[in-house]
């Protein structure tokens, strides 16, 4: 396996997963991986049910710390978090990120204008084009004000749930909204996540799409993290071999892993 670390996965500490962390660890060992990073959801004020994506942080840190020790001779286990950003929560999320000893923080936009693409409320009363453009506008507005993270998760997450998903979607179509985000990541030294969940969802490519990954590289972007977004053991390291080949074709040579919020570059 060319990509030896999976830096986006979940366990039953996340509201949308019921798999104990130890099962994800066992699968990673069975696959011969060198390490994984749990990145449990924290989405405050989630639409529909504001409590669904709350994280019991202290229990999480305690449990994962114990598992790190138990498995230290077989697997490098890192402790991360996936922060769901919304404009009105940025000060709270900044304080949260800065006050806990995470190895790695993903910044993900799951909602825009208080609506969730997952349950399609975000698409009601507007065209798909308008919704995609608005999602990227909100993402940029939030990222301009928030820097307490290491990688931008599944940048074009919204296309997973659009009425036509990625049938009419491309980097070129939304470049006026996407380029400012990519330039901001490069300017601030942040990573762009390559989320292989896009393959799992049948998009035929990762999130973000190949066009975005190509453009990021053209702009000088080199810092990437790689994660499967697995919520079950069978999706751990999903299509990592395919992803490694794709990234090499686009000119990427390395990917980042983190410990104590410090990056280390590993070869693809």
């Amino acid at each position: 396996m060319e990509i030896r670390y999976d830096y986006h996965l979940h366990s039953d500490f996340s509201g949308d997963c019921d798999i104990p962390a130890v099962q994800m660890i066992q699968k990673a060992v069975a696959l011969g991986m060198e390490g994984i990073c749990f990145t449990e959801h924290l989405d405050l004020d989630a639409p529909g049910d504001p409590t669904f994506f709350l994280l019991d942080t202290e229990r999480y840190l305690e449990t994962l710390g114990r598992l790190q020790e138990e498995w230290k001779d077989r697997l490098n286990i890192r402790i991360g978090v996936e922060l769901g950003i919304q404009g009105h929560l940025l000060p709270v999320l900044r304080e949260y990120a800065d006050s806990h000893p995470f190895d790695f923080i993903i910044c993900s936009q799951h909602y825009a204008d208080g609506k969730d693409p997952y349950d399609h409320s975000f698409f009601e009363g507007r065209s798909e084009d308008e919704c995609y453009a608005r999602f990227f506008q909100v993402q940029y507005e939030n990222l301009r004000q928030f820097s307490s993270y290491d990688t931008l998760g599944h940048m074009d997450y919204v296309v997973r749930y659009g009425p036509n998903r990625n049938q009419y979607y491309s980097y070129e179509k939304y470049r006026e909204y996407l380029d400012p985000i990519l330039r901001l990541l490069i300017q601030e030294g942040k990573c762009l996540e390559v989320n292989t969940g896009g393959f799992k969802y049948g998009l035929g490519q990762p999130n973000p799409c190949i066009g975005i990954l190509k453009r990021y590289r053209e702009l000088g972007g080199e810092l990437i993290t790689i994660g499967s977004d697995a919520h079950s053991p069978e999706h751990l390291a999903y299509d990592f071999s395919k992803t490694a080949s794709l990234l090499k074709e686009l000119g990427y040579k390395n990917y980042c892993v983190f410990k104590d919020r410090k990056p280390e570059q590993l070869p693809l």
Side-chain angles (χ1 to χ4, degrees), residues 104-122:
F104 177 61
I105 296 178
I106 300 175
C107 172
S108 292
Q109 185 173 306
H110 296 122
Y111 320 114
D113 300 327
K115 296 182 178 181
D116 187 351
Y118 178 80
D119 66 14
H120 297 291
S121 63
F122 181 64

Side-chain angles (χ1 to χ4, degrees), residues 7-8 39 81-85 104-110 135-136 139 143 149-158 160 181 185 190-196 206-208 225-227 229:
Y7 258 63
H8 189 154
T39 53
V81 67
E82 181 178 7
L83 299 180
I85 57 170
F104 177 61
I105 296 178
I106 300 175
C107 172
S108 292
Q109 185 173 306
H110 296 122
F135 186 89
F136 295 130
Q139 189 174 73
L143 291 174
Y149 70 97
D150 302 305
T151 197
L152 173 60
H154 45 52
M155 177 178 171
D156 55 6
Y157 166 88
V158 66
R160 290 183 182 178
I181 298 172
L185 294 178
K190 302 298 184 182
C191 295
L192 175 65
E193 182 192 54
V194 182
N195 187 303
T196 66
N207 296 112
T225 62
I226 301 172
D229 208 348

Side-chain angles (χ1 to χ4, degrees), residues 2 16 46 77 87 92 103 105 120 131 144 163 193 215 264:
E2 295 160 299
D16 58 352
I77 299 171
V92 175
D103 289 306
I105 296 178
H120 297 291
C131 290
R144 283 198 310 131
E193 182 192 54
R215 179 58 172 163
E264 176 188 357

